[in-house]
Amino acid sequence: MDLEFPFDPVERSKDVEAVVAHEDRRLYYRFRPAPYYGGIATADAVGCPFLCAYCWNYNRNLHPERFNQFYSSQQVASKLLHIAKKRSFRLFRISGAEPVLGERTFRHLSEVLKLISQSTPQSRFILETNGFFLGCKPELIQNFRAYPNLLVRVCLKGTDEESFEQITGAQKKYFRYPITALKEMKKLGIRAWPALMADLFSRDLINRLQVHLRAQGIQDKLELEYLEAYPFVKENLKRRNIKTSIFNKILTNS
Ligand code: SF4
């Protein structure tokens, strides 16, 4: 898919969803037991409105059209349940992509959540999202109240508009959307918290983001995650022509 940076993630979301979702089916390329969170049944998908320079699945998300294996929500749930049963896991997630690109993928996700919570009420589904589409359409979020086993981790991609645009490739004006999604989840009592790729920011910038979140009523601890600096990730950071000091640590180690 051709892209000019910075791109409009609203348009990109629509284009990508048209490629990766057909009716109830979505493109996935792998189902696996993963070691994170102490063991979690994981469905790896393709397709995202962003194109983060540090994305471990960058090339698949750049070219989702290269994949052609669609799975219905029923098939996804049964594959994840099979893995969980075999490994005695209680945790589930979709990874590698953004689970919610638009209303079609939202319905697919909701169906997966329903099937898993009906089958294993004691399980937990960790929705790892960039919060973009949920921030565009916060009215969708109330549907999550039907799934008490849902936990939502919203990965904020920048500490401000500039770093958001540099990292995601998406226009800076959309920085606030994931924060809107978090605020809505807090309002509705859905368990959700913010996360950030800590390696890319100074302590001062992280503190400023925390102050900003608290001012918006988001009191939860900011989860800090750490970069897996694959060679292609370093290359992508350079290719974006990122010159701010936030990347010095990574670029000088390359
Ligand atoms: S939001 Fe996540 S899946 Fe999407 S490009 Fe960024 S890191 Fe990759």
Side-chain angles (χ1 to χ4, degrees):
M1 303 179 86
D2 291 335
L3 269 186
E4 220 170 273
F5 291 83
F7 52 82
D8 182 341
V10 173
E11 290 309 311
R12 182 168 159 76
S13 252
K14 284 185 203 151
D15 293 347
V16 173
E17 189 178 65
V19 171
V20 305
H22 291 166
E23 296 169 351
D24 172 53
R25 297 174 304 137
R26 174 157 187 177
L27 284 177
Y28 291 85
Y29 67 95
R30 181 172 62 177
F31 296 87
R32 61 183 165 124
Y36 308 103
Y37 306 102
I40 185 163
T42 299
D44 286 317
V46 289
C48 187
F50 298 163
L51 209 47
C52 301
Y54 64 71
C55 183
W56 64 269
N57 219 13
Y58 190 95
N59 284 323
R60 291 189 184 94
N61 286 323
L62 181 61
H63 294 295
E65 72 282 0
R66 291 182 181 168
F67 296 81
N68 58 13
Q69 191 68 57
F70 286 88
Y71 293 85
S72 68
S73 50
Q74 176 73 61
Q75 288 172 313
V76 174
S78 77
K79 280 186 174 288
L80 289 175
L81 288 163
H82 177 73
I83 291 168
K85 191 171 177 198
K86 216 166 149 192
R87 298 295 187 111
S88 303
F89 290 166
R90 291 176 59 229
L91 298 178
F92 298 83
R93 69 172 180 161
I94 292 171
S95 185
E98 170 52 41
V100 185
L101 290 151
E103 299 200 14
R104 210 177 312 158
T105 40
F106 183 84
R107 282 196 297 275
H108 172 88
L109 170 70
S110 300
E111 205 51 36
V112 173
L113 287 173
K114 187 177 93 185
L115 292 166
I116 288 177
S117 65
Q118 280 173 350
S119 179
T120 56
Q122 302 309 317
S123 64
R124 293 280 177 274
F125 194 104
I126 302 177
L127 175 59
E128 296 178 334
T129 176
N130 59 38
F132 169 68
F133 190 76
L134 295 172
C136 290
K137 291 245 172 185
E139 63 273 21
L140 287 177
I141 293 172
Q142 61 176 318
N143 296 296
F144 286 158
R145 295 170 95 172
Y147 312 110
N149 63 344
L150 178 66
L151 307 170
V152 187
R153 177 182 183 273
V154 180
C155 190
L156 305 175
K157 300 298 173 181
T159 55
D160 54 24
E161 289 190 346
E162 276 64 35
S163 55
F164 169 85
E165 184 171 292
Q166 285 175 312
I167 290 164
T168 62
Q171 291 164 2
K172 61 174 77 172
K173 65 182 178 184
Y174 294 103
F175 166 67
R176 64 187 171 83
Y177 281 59
I179 296 173
T180 301
L182 266 169
K183 280 168 67 178
E184 185 68 13
M185 286 187 255
K186 292 281 113 188
K187 198 172 93 188
L188 295 172
I190 290 157
R191 285 174 293 174
W193 68 98
L196 183 75
M197 186 60 79
D199 294 317
L200 304 185
F201 304 96
S202 66
R203 192 66 242 178
D204 184 47
L205 287 170
I206 293 171
N207 289 343
R208 273 196 243 171
L209 175 64
Q210 283 175 311
V211 169
H212 178 64
L213 291 173
R214 278 199 285 272
Q216 308 280 317
I218 300 161
Q219 308 289 346
D220 310 77
K221 189 165 180 255
L222 178 64
E223 180 189 327
L224 298 179
E225 58 178 333
Y226 295 92
L227 194 73
E228 300 198 33
Y230 300 111
F232 70 87
V233 168
K234 292 178 182 175
E235 207 41 58
N236 285 339
L237 290 170
K238 282 183 185 168
R239 202 177 296 133
R240 292 274 174 94
N241 197 23
I242 293 162
K243 293 193 172 75
T244 71
S245 59
I246 60 174
F247 296 101
N248 281 351
K249 186 176 150 204
I250 292 164
L251 295 181
T252 50
N253 286 341
S254 62

